[in-house]
Amino acid sequence: MIGQTDVVVIGGGQAGLAAGYHLRRKKLDFVVLDAQGTPGGAWQHTWDSLRLFSPAAFSSLPGRLMPAQPGHEYPDAGHVVEYLSDYEQRYELPVHRPVRVQQVCRDGDRLRVETDDGVWSARAVVSATGTWWRPFLPATPGRNVYAGHQLHTTDYRRPSDFAGQRVVVVGGGNSGAQIAADLSAHEGVDLTWVTQRPPRFLADDIDGRALFDASTARRRALDEGRGDTGGVASLGDIVAVPPPVREARDAGLLKASAMFTRLTADGIEWADGTRAAADAVIWCTGFRPALSHLAPLGLHGPRGHIPTHGTRAAGEPRLHLLGYGDWTGPASATLIGVGRPARDAAQQITELLT
């Protein structure tokens, strides 16, 4: 046993830090356990050209505005890492790293958090591990036959790694469009972009601020028993704010093909028998919540989601889930959106413990 505390926060990325900020304001005793060796969460592992969808001031955690990045309206991932590191230090958040949580178990009136560095006993737990650590790959026929290089969004870094190669990018969301745009601008890369349906670009004036408003309005409508507004999905799939995406689209470089039906030994094949050779396939096919550490609690739900009331787990009131998507708070997987559900979680934990 390492120690006892009121709250253990699992994950030291943006959601975990937002939770820590509000727990500190509530004067609760807590620790943040982060599996990463350095601050910055998943932002440390993104591709080189990634940029935010919103200006810095609209991409901030509670209590501290993100400063603008000189020369850039939309900050890059490195700037976000610097901001999160500064945020952690500014509020003296008790982050322990690298500590990997193995499982959370019930232990009488407390929760037992077992890690690779010992055991914590807590009165409440906030799980904020996100999704980056659990990339999703669809069960596509031939995936085990294909002899080329397969990688996921999480593995992509820069277009120069694919110089002189035929590359297939799979996925019609933001990551697929951004990586396709990145590759399309690099001379010597033969790009094929495939999507399940024709790409839906949002209007050029829509950035992360509008997406947050749409997500919040949808959650409010559902909570009040009104019709589903559709939220972000009603606007489109691809934000055109990052300059490379807009430039590639306007130059006619982002032309998507229909999704292929199977992989062959040396490429892909469509339903009509048409084939294309490929040296690499990049799967920009999304993520699933990284929740394996909560398996002992038996909180199963549809699509890998744990049923919640707001952020609180329906089957375990001492557990809160933060930052996994709209099902744990409107836009809670974003920098600007995670503050409100983090505040609500801290308030409910305070009420539970007092």
Side-chain angles (χ1 to χ4, degrees), residues 104-116:
V104 178
C105 310
R106 295 182 180 89
D107 188 13
D109 62 351
R110 304 180 72 87
L111 292 172
R112 178 182 175 90
V113 181
E114 300 181 4
T115 81
D116 60 0

Side-chain angles (χ1 to χ4, degrees), residues 72-309:
H72 298 284
E73 182 179 6
Y74 298 95
D76 63 23
H79 187 73
V80 179
V81 171
E82 293 176 3
Y83 167 71
L84 295 179
S85 179
D86 174 76
Y87 188 92
E88 183 179 312
Q89 295 174 24
R90 171 178 289 266
Y91 294 110
E92 299 180 338
L93 299 179
V95 181
H96 298 241
R97 64 167 58 93
V99 178
R100 186 172 298 278
V101 172
Q102 297 165 330
Q103 61 180 9
V104 178
C105 310
R106 295 182 180 89
D107 188 13
D109 62 351
R110 304 180 72 87
L111 292 172
R112 178 182 175 90
V113 181
E114 300 181 4
T115 81
D116 60 0
D117 191 42
V119 178
W120 286 89
S121 177
R123 299 170 68 193
V125 166
V126 176
S127 183
T129 50
T131 62
W132 183 264
W133 321 110
R134 195 181 168 203
F136 172 72
L137 293 174
T140 305
R143 213 177 72 204
N144 296 329
V145 173
Y146 176 63
H149 183 37
Q150 295 188 65
L151 60 158
H152 189 268
T153 306
T154 56
D155 307 305
Y156 177 77
R157 292 296 175 269
R158 61 195 65 86
S160 60
D161 294 339
F162 301 90
Q165 296 186 37
R166 298 158 298 185
V167 183
V168 175
V169 174
V170 183
N174 285 305
S175 61
Q178 289 188 32
I179 290 175
D182 209 24
L183 290 164
S184 71
H186 193 276
E187 187 175 352
V189 175
D190 182 1
L191 171 69
T192 300
W193 182 32
V194 301
T195 60
Q196 287 282 7
R197 63 184 181 187
R200 299 191 307 158
F201 291 91
L202 279 74
D204 287 358
D205 61 343
I206 293 181
D207 62 11
R209 292 167 287 188
L211 300 182
F212 173 70
D213 290 343
S215 181
T216 302
R218 177 176 184 266
R219 184 72 267 166
R220 185 180 299 117
L222 293 174
D223 288 345
E224 295 174 357
R226 295 183 281 117
D228 191 341
T229 64
V232 172
S234 67
L235 301 176
D237 300 318
I238 302 167
V239 181
V241 163
V245 173
R246 188 180 302 182
E247 292 167 5
R249 180 204 62 190
D250 292 348
L253 300 178
L254 285 184
K255 295 180 179 179
S257 300
M259 182 62 188
F260 53 85
T261 54
R262 71 183 184 99
L263 288 162
T264 64
D266 62 353
I268 58 178
E269 181 178 318
W270 283 272
D272 63 0
T274 302
R275 291 190 175 195
D279 300 299
V281 175
I282 304 176
W283 298 94
C284 302
T285 46
F287 303 84
R288 296 293 183 266
L291 298 173
S292 61
H293 56 289
L294 301 178
L297 299 176
L299 305 171
H300 303 296
R303 296 175 296 149
H305 295 180
I306 291 176
T308 60
H309 301 300

